[in-house]
Amino acid sequence: MERAVRIHKYGPAEVLSFEPIEVPLPGPGEALIRHTAIGLNFVEVYFRRGTFKVPALPATLGNEGAGIVEAIGPGVTGVQIGDRVVYADGPLGAYATVRLYPADQLVRIPDAISDRQAAASFLRGTTARMLLKEVAPLKAGDTVLFHAAAGGVGLLFTQWARSLGIRVIGTVSHERKAEAARRAGCIEVINYATEDFVERVRDITSGEGVAAVFDAVGRDTALKSLATLKPRGVLALFGQASGSPPDINPSLLAPKSLYVTWPIRPVYMATPAQRQTSATDLFDAIGGGILGVGPNQIFALDDIVAAHRELESRKIVGAAVITP
């Protein structure tokens, strides 16, 4: 019997429950995907808690998966039955053995990339690429600050940045995560729970500051991050693991003509051409040995509650996937 993990109300990990589902028939423009690996991402905690609202309850969570196309609906031309594909964003519903998905948002997985690698890296890797190559005008020799550098996006960003000659100062919330950030290529690692990262960045950069800060932590770090930027630097907020960032008065930006942005993948990958360009760049970086994508942990779908507890407590280092 096919199954899905659903929530009927917002709350802790225990609100996740299993329900049987029928195998749906794809409609126009849809493909039926049998999952072989499902991405596990912190954004799913936001949806489960109600920080981000689902379209309607009950809801099946999950927004990244890889698998096999088992059926296609009328008008589908971009994929065929039997194709190995990966997706991220779009409609929720990855926490299931099978699901329907818009066919024009699917990306074929190259032969050199496994389904688990694809599910562990597609959302994180294309996010890292967006931050590194499109959000801020970075070049070889620049120094940047990346909060939560031992997270899934942070590890990929750091590895990729190192290959481009960009120096990454990483922060972590626990000392046990520091070594992972160093292995990925951080030139320095700061434990922001015990150290003043603003002072450390000043010391590391000899007072110059960094060209950009990439911040998925939110409330605990956002305002202080502004103080680490050099003139015309960019603060890119892309998450809120510690809570929503405080309001930023534009007058705080004026002394150094700073920029603040909140980039999201659906905007940077809005068209099939943009999705394919980003995916090809990611898969080439994996195949070329620039990126080690894991996954570092694998959970069974039956263990989804435990997986969310680990995710929420920030115990997961790097990428994790769920196997149906």
Side-chain angles (χ1 to χ4, degrees):
M1 180 176 292
E2 309 300 344
R3 299 186 301 160
V5 177
R6 288 187 172 139
I7 60 168
H8 289 256
K9 61 181 181 179
Y10 299 117
E14 288 74 18
V15 302
L16 297 162
S17 62
F18 289 94
E19 295 182 15
I21 58 172
E22 298 291 332
V23 177
L25 294 175
E30 292 182 326
L32 177 66
I33 311 301
R34 177 164 297 280
H35 286 131
T36 53
I38 300 163
L40 182 66
N41 300 289
F42 204 92
V43 69
E44 289 136 30
V45 172
Y46 297 150
F47 279 111
R48 194 205 70 221
R49 291 173 179 169
T51 306
F52 297 162
K53 302 301 181 184
V54 298
L57 291 168
T60 302
L61 299 186
N63 64 345
E64 179 181 30
I68 309 296
V69 176
E70 286 202 337
I72 56 175
V76 172
T77 58
V79 295
Q80 300 178 343
I81 293 172
D83 281 348
R84 297 167 56 239
V85 294
V86 65
Y87 65 85
D89 295 327
L92 297 174
Y95 287 4
T97 52
V98 296
R99 73 162 303 179
L100 296 177
Y101 198 81
D104 64 355
Q105 296 183 36
L106 295 169
V107 173
R108 287 191 183 92
I109 302 171
D111 291 343
I113 307 299
S114 73
D115 292 5
R116 289 183 179 182
Q117 285 179 308
S121 68
F122 191 64
L123 189 149
R124 298 171 179 86
T126 54
T127 300
R129 180 191 179 278
M130 171 190 75
L131 297 172
L132 180 62
K133 297 190 174 185
E134 298 192 72
V135 169
L138 301 176
K139 62 185 184 304
D142 283 341
T143 302
V144 303
L145 177 65
F146 201 104
H147 290 301
V153 175
L155 293 176
L156 296 183
F157 179 98
T158 302
Q159 293 174 67
W160 216 333
R162 178 175 58 181
S163 76
L164 298 174
I166 295 168
R167 296 155 42 93
V168 180
I169 301 169
T171 73
V172 295
S173 58
H174 301 285
E175 189 56 35
R176 57 187 167 76
K177 294 186 175 184
E179 184 53 35
R182 293 189 185 98
R183 285 197 305 269
C186 286
I187 61 166
E188 296 282 352
V189 179
I190 303 165
N191 184 339
Y192 69 80
T194 60
E195 301 177 86
D196 184 335
F197 71 82
V198 175
E199 290 301 321
R200 283 291 313 280
V201 169
R202 284 178 181 151
D203 290 342
I204 294 166
T205 63
S206 301
E208 181 181 358
V210 294
V213 179
F214 301 95
D215 190 342
V217 176
R219 182 183 60 205
D220 292 349
T221 53
L223 284 179
K224 293 175 68 175
S225 292
L226 292 174
T228 70
L229 288 166
K230 67 180 184 180
R232 299 174 64 180
V234 177
L235 169 58
L237 299 162
F238 66 104
Q240 47 187 335
S242 67
S244 297
D247 293 338
I248 296 177
N249 188 320
S251 65
L252 296 175
L253 311 179
K256 291 191 286 186
S257 295
L258 302 178
Y259 298 86
V260 177
T261 183
W262 193 306
I264 59 172
R265 290 177 62 264
V267 172
Y268 283 81
M269 298 175 63
T271 68
Q274 289 170 328
R275 278 192 294 276
Q276 192 58 57
T277 296
S278 187
T280 299
D281 201 9
L282 171 64
F283 294 144
D284 285 349
I286 297 170
I290 292 171
L291 301 180
V293 299
N296 296 342
Q297 287 184 251
I298 299 171
F299 295 91
L301 189 60
D302 286 336
D303 297 326
I304 190 64
V305 172
H308 262 242
R309 288 176 182 153
E310 293 273 306
L311 188 64
E312 198 164 12
S313 64
R314 304 190 204 179
K315 293 180 179 178
I316 295 175
V317 177
V321 298
I322 304 161
T323 55

